[in-house]
């Protein structure tokens, strides 16, 4: 555990990419195979399940620290992280230990099968033989909340340095549904046949937000289609099976069982990139799809109510061959040929091309996006290969401008983690007759300096406290931007927003001029 | 109910002696625990402080202030009250103030820490009936790194940076923290540069006989290149400023009790955070209160609500007193 704790500390203490990569590469060169595998798993979001309820952990930590539970609970919001709070309050360890990382993860798995008294004894013994950083990491693993400030891309780069393998190959190897329990370092990283796994997806290519279309050259160089408002999905058809992957590398196959029919319509060795959309004679609004997203298995009634299709826009594998290096035009032609003769009942659509003589003309098409339940346009360079990750220049998302309202802050709550001790989570209200009606929360969009200034203000202007929430007088006005609006009987305002955030702090806007509840309902009529 | 001390709009007041302690509004007579700006303010008719606190106070408040000084532990009679100053271990010259009226003893802690930092006069517990204590870090998550471990951490950091040709920028309060760190670092590692605010305080403390390693103040003429690998000590607010950007390449660190919290450390966007404070940690606060033998405890700045409840749980008659002291500010704005 000491080498892993050292790695964590180095990563935590620097903002320099080169230092982070070097530290990870050293770990991958020196640690035991089982530890390396767990490190890759943890750094790619494959966390062990939570073993013990956090309620018990809080009680045991408080007891061990000799403090009442209420004092532990009061300390937690100041620290902003449960595992860190535990690591900080516990007395210094009675002994030292240096078991490897995989030993401690094995210990978690062993504890998960025991009764509560044995679990408690095991955890207290662990805490008492680990130093503060090791305790923090062990407790993070216990609570199932292990996250680290290193992108998978950086980790893959370090892995490439340490193993001498190609970064793209490694990226591909790391995708899919593996866990350290189902594979080994040798099988995952060192073995040579990446195609063996029928389900393995390709890394998604991600688009950047476009600022200015005039920098792109002639519109004819670009393949343009709508930016559909669904869930990005990669459909992998190989050997008579189908797998559907999300952008977060999660398998969504069982959530959208209707896509299984495509095994009968398309040849094996086909991988399609597209957007899963709720669909009835055209795309349905995103909130229809939302009913399907949360369900791991889907009842028949819902399948009939909210059917989905895959809106296809790229072909990554054809007849079992990786064609990502071919220009987009060729991939698109192959996709068109593949989908040309599909019957209307097949849950697959080809995303239609959008054309325009000039960027002005295309801007007009883009402005019409909401009428098509789309978020804007996607612009892809016709001669570009399908890259992995986010690389600037070939793919752009040209989103329609967000909707905005001016609103006043009425409640504030402090954040967690990096934002502990800062008021960053606000509730906003619009005018409603003589009073104010809350309609949304927002957490992002301001600078750290602005959050600090607001935090000072909230401390001085608190009217009432409700636990961690402070009520403040309606004074600070913000422009709230959002992507969509829908009806919501659960909320007092009757509406719910999609992706609300603070576009700016309107120091210039008097309270009398903020938007009203009637304005929001007019927007609901128009865009809901 | 009358007490030895009462709490007024202007600050902590002694009716029997007609004086205030660390007042935040102008009053005729002020007893001052130490020279930080939230405790030693301008505009008082007369000041009383320790001999050792006097040079910094004159430097900050002006030589024309009416300042009477006293050695530690010496009794001074002010009307019907007897007062004496006792080391608080916070910064050089800092004191707890003991006030006795008719056999009842109250002590105002000012800011304090119980560990000996090797620079300030070490904290001494003063038995009393009522203790007015700060609690800047009055939660059980604050437990300071031992000073020898801290010294090793800072020296290793500076050494690594110097070996890689990087400057080491260390953000620390100009009075107390900066000099404490100066005495912890190994001057053999390389040159030590200081911000003007730090160097001015260095000069005052050196002139009163406190030994510090050689330092060089950064001026517009300073040739940074010729001092590659130097340690640069500056107030926290100077880190990330145009002033600090002249030192390239650099690694930066803050030295503060708040660095115990990972979230705060990451928010400050420095490479490192060293956990070092001139305030008492959780253990220190509890030890200090116990050592006074006091039954009544008044808690001032910090996590007052939580700390009061904890003390009440322990059987103390504990109350919160609202003050305008800042303690160690969380976001590093230059308040001392």
């Amino acid at each position: 555990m000491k080498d892993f704790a050292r790695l964590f500390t180095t990563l935590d203490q620097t903002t320099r990419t080169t230092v982070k990569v070097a530290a990870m590469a050293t770990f991958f060169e020196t640690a035991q195979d089982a530890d390396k595998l767990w490190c890759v798993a943890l750094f790619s979001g494959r966390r062990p399940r939570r073993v013990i309820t956090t309620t018990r952990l809080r009680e045991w930590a408080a007891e061990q620290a000799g403090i009442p539970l209420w004092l532990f609970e009061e300390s937690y919001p100041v620290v902003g992280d449960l595992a860190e709070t535990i690591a900080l309050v516990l007395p210094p360890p009675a002994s030292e230990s240096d078991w490897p990382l995989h030993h401690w993860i094995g210990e978690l798995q062993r504890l998960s099968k025991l009764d509560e008294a044995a679990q408690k004894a095991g955890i207290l013994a662990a805490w008492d033989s680990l130093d503060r950083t090791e305790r923090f990491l062990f407790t993070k693993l216990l609570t199932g909340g292990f996250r680290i400030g290193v992108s998978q891309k950086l980790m893959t780069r370090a892995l490439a340095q340490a193993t001498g393998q190609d970064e793209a190959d490694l990226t591909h190897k790391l995708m899919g549904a593996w866990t350290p329990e189902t594979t080994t370092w040798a099988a995952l990283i060192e073995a040579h046949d990446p195609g063996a796994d029928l389900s393995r997806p390709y890394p998604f290519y991600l688009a950047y937000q476009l600022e200015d279309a005039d920098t792109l050259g002639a519109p004819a160089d670009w393949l343009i289609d709508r930016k559909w408002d669904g869930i990005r999905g990669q459909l992998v058809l190989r050997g008579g099976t189908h797998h559907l992957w999300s952008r977060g590398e999660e398998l969504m196959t069982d959530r959208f069982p209707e896509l299984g029919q495509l095994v009968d319509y398309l040849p094996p060795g086909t991988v399609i990139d597209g957007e899963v959309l709720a669909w009835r004679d055209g795309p349905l609004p995103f909130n229809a799809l939302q009913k399907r997203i949360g369900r791991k298995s889907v009842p028949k009634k819902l399948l009939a109510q909210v059917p989905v299709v895959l809106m296809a826009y790229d072909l990554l594998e054809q007849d079992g061959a990786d064609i990502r290096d071919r220009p987009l035009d060729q991939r698109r032609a192959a996709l068109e040929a593949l989908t040309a003769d599909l019957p209307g009942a097949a849950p697959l659509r080809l995303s239609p091309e959008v054309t325009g003589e000039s960027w002005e003309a295309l801007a007009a098409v883009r402005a019409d996006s909401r009428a098509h339940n789309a978020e804007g346009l996607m612009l892809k360079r016709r001669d570009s290969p399908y890259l992995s990750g986010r690389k600037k220049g070939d793919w752009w998302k040209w989103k329609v401008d967000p909707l905005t309202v001016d609103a006043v802050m009425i409640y504030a709550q402090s954040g967690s983690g990096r934002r502990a001790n800062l008021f960053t989570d606000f509730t906003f209200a619009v005018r409603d007759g003589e009073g104010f009606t809350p309609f949304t929360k927002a957490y992002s969009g301001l600078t750290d300096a602005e959050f600090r200034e607001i935090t000072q203000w909230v401390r001085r202007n608190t009217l009432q406290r409700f636990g961690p929430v402070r009520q403040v007088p309606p004074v600070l006005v913000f422009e709230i931007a959002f992507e969509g609006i829908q009806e919501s009987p659960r909320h007092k305002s009757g509406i719910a927003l999609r992706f609300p955030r603070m576009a700016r702090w309107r120091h210039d806007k008097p309270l009398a001029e903020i938007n009203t509840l009637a304005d929001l309902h007019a927007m609901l009529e128009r865009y809901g | 109910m009358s007490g030895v001390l009462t709490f007024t709009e202007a600050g902590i007041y002694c009716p029997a002696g007609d004086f205030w302690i660390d007042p935040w509004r102008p009053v005729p007579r002020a007893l001052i625990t130490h020279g930080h700006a939230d405790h030693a303010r301008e505009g008082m008719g007369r000041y009383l402080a320790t001999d050792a606190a006097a040079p910094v106070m004159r430097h900050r408040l002006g030589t024309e202030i009416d300042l009477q000084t006293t050695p530690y532990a010496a009794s001074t009679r002010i009307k019907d009250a007897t007062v004496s100053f006792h080391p608080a271990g916070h910064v050089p010259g800092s004191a707890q103030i003991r006030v006795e009226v008719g056999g009842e003893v109250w002590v105002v802690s000012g800011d304090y820490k119980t560990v000996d930092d090797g620079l300030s006069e070490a904290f001494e517990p003063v038995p009393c009936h009522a203790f007015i204590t700060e609690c800047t870090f009055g939660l059980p998550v604050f437990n300071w790194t031992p000073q020898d471990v801290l010294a090793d951490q800072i020296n290793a950091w500076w050494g690594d940076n110097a070996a890689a040709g990087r400057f080491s920028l260390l953000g620390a309060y100009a009075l107390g923290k900066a000099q404490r760190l100066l005495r912890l670092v190994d001057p053999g590692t390389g040159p030590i540069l200081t911000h003007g605010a730090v160097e001015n305080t260095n000069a005052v403390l050196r002139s009163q006989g406190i030994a510090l390693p050689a330092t060089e103040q950064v001026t517009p003429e300073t040739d940074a290149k010729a001092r590659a690998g130097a340690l640069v000590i500056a107030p926290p607010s100077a880190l990330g400023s145009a002033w600090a950007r002249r030192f390239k390449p650099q690694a930066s660190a803050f030295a503060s009790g708040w660095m115990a919290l990972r979230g705060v450390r990451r928010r400050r966007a420095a490479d490192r955070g060293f956990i070092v404070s001139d305030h008492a940690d959780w253990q220190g606060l509890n030890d200090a209160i116990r050592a006074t033998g006091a039954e009544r405890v008044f808690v001032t700045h910090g996590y007052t609500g939580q700390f009061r409840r904890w003390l009440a749980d322990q059987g103390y008659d504990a109350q919160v007193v609202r003050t305008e002291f800042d303690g160690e500010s969380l976001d590093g704005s230059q308040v001392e």
Side-chain angles (χ1 to χ4, degrees), chain A residues 4 7-8 11-12 42-43 137 145-151, chain B residues 262:
Chain A
F4 186 67
L7 171 63
F8 170 81
L11 296 176
D12 203 42
L42 292 171
F43 285 23
L137 294 171
F146 189 90
R147 268 181 207 87
I148 190 147
V150 170
S151 66
Chain B
R262 185 164 168 254

Side-chain angles (χ1 to χ4, degrees), chain B residues 4-5 12 14 17 19-21 31-33 48 50 70-78 80-88 94-110 124-132 292:
Chain B
V4 170
L5 298 172
I12 301 167
C14 175
F19 60 80
W20 282 258
I21 295 174
L31 276 55
I32 303 296
T33 58
L48 175 63
T50 64
T70 170
Y72 285 111
S75 291
T76 304
R77 185 84 185 169
I78 306 178
D80 293 332
T82 306
V83 304
S84 53
F85 289 61
H86 304 269
S94 68
Q96 310 170 72
I97 298 179
R98 180 185 186 276
V99 183
E100 180 171 352
V101 177
E104 179 155 352
V105 178
W106 288 36
V107 169
V108 177
S109 76
E124 289 173 11
V126 182
C128 56
H129 299 99
F131 188 46
I132 299 168
T292 63

Side-chain angles (χ1 to χ4, degrees), chain B residues 30-54:
Chain B
L31 276 55
I32 303 296
T33 58
H34 66 287
H36 279 153
D38 55 329
H39 291 261
R41 296 182 195 240
E42 292 180 344
M44 309 301 158
R46 296 159 68 194
Y47 294 86
L48 175 63
T50 64
D51 296 333

Side-chain angles (χ1 to χ4, degrees), chain B:
Chain B
M1 190 196 85
S2 71
V4 170
L5 298 172
T6 61
F7 304 100
T8 72
E9 283 289 292
I12 301 167
Y13 177 64
C14 175
D18 192 23
F19 60 80
W20 282 258
I21 295 174
D22 292 354
W24 44 85
R25 308 249 191 290
V27 298
R29 178 146 205 187
L31 276 55
I32 303 296
T33 58
H34 66 287
H36 279 153
D38 55 329
H39 291 261
R41 296 182 195 240
E42 292 180 344
M44 309 301 158
R46 296 159 68 194
Y47 294 86
L48 175 63
T50 64
D51 296 333
V56 162
M57 283 179 61
R58 287 206 175 88
H59 169 68
R60 294 187 159 201
L61 299 174
T63 49
E64 68 284 357
I65 60 168
D66 179 355
L67 172 60
Q68 181 195 340
T69 68
T70 170
Y72 285 111
S75 291
T76 304
R77 185 84 185 169
I78 306 178
K79 297 190 177 160
D80 293 332
T82 306
V83 304
S84 53
F85 289 61
H86 304 269
H90 177 58
V91 295
S94 68
Q96 310 170 72
I97 298 179
R98 180 185 186 276
V99 183
E100 180 171 352
V101 177
E104 179 155 352
V105 178
W106 288 36
V107 169
V108 177
S109 76
D111 292 339
Y112 68 97
K113 68 173 176 290
T114 51
V115 292
D116 184 355
D117 64 10
L119 172 73
S120 314
E121 304 81 1
F123 176 88
E124 289 173 11
V126 182
C128 56
H129 299 99
F131 188 46
I132 299 168
T133 179
E134 63 132 327
C135 60
T136 306
F137 293 106
L139 287 176
V141 293
F142 297 107
N143 300 290
W144 303 152
T145 312
Q147 179 134 318
D148 53 336
V149 177
L150 180 72
D152 290 348
Q153 288 173 349
I154 296 175
N155 282 319
W157 172 73
W158 182 19
D160 287 350
N161 290 334
R166 284 193 296 269
F167 288 96
S168 299
L169 268 74
L170 185 53
Y173 285 159
L175 168 57
K177 186 84 60 74
Q179 293 75 29
R180 179 179 177 189
L181 296 171
L182 278 171
R183 285 169 66 120
L184 286 184
V185 298
D186 174 5
T189 310
I192 303 175
L193 306 180
T194 50
H195 185 277
V198 172
E199 195 54 38
N200 287 339
T201 310
N202 285 354
V204 173
L205 295 182
R206 281 191 183 110
S207 72
Q208 67 189 87
I210 292 174
L212 297 173
T215 53
E216 180 191 351
Q217 182 177 345
V218 176
T219 66
E221 288 74 45
T222 303
D223 178 10
K225 281 201 189 76
R227 291 160 182 79
L231 176 67
V232 186
I233 300 189
S237 55
L239 265 65
S241 70
W243 181 89
R245 279 195 288 276
R246 77 184 78 185
F247 303 106
K248 284 187 286 199
Q250 63 165 263
S252 58
F254 288 102
S256 162
W258 294 107
M259 294 297 125
L261 304 183
R262 185 164 168 254
V264 176
R265 201 166 64 230
R266 290 193 298 165
R267 191 159 78 226
R268 293 311 309 268
D271 300 308
R272 282 294 290 271
F274 296 110
I275 304 169
V276 46
S277 178
D278 290 322
H279 295 263
D281 65 1
W282 173 252
Q283 191 65 44
L285 289 170
N286 281 286
D287 290 348
I289 291 166
R290 199 175 309 114
T292 63
E295 286 170 4
R296 294 177 73 185
V297 180
F298 299 88
V299 299
T300 63
H301 49 307
Y303 292 100
T304 49
Q306 297 93 328
F307 195 57
R308 185 212 68 78
R309 186 173 165 196
W310 160 255
L311 291 175
D313 278 4
Q314 309 304 302
Y316 291 97
D317 172 5
Q319 292 171 54
V320 174
V321 177
R322 207 197 64 82
T323 63
E324 294 187 12
F325 305 133
D326 297 305
E328 185 165 335
S329 89
L330 174 57
D331 277 299
S333 48
Q334 178 62 350
V335 186
E336 294 183 26

Side-chain angles (χ1 to χ4, degrees), chain A residues 64-133:
Chain A
Q64 196 74 352
I67 56 171
L69 188 60
W70 70 261
L71 186 53
F72 182 91
E73 299 296 351
E74 289 280 345
S75 300
Y76 175 26
V78 171
V79 176
D81 182 284
L82 182 66
E84 189 185 346
T85 310
I86 290 174
L88 288 172
V89 300
L90 289 173
S95 62
E96 262 197 63
S97 66
D98 191 14
W99 297 99
L101 172 64
H102 71 269
H103 162 87
W104 288 110
I105 291 170
E107 179 68 4
L108 295 184
Q109 287 155 346
R110 187 184 72 84
L111 290 172
S112 69
K113 299 182 187 77
L114 303 181
D115 64 22
E116 196 173 293
Q119 286 180 339
K120 181 179 176 182
I123 283 164
L124 293 187
W127 281 342
D128 210 24
S129 68
L130 295 168
D131 75 16
R132 191 166 283 170
T133 307

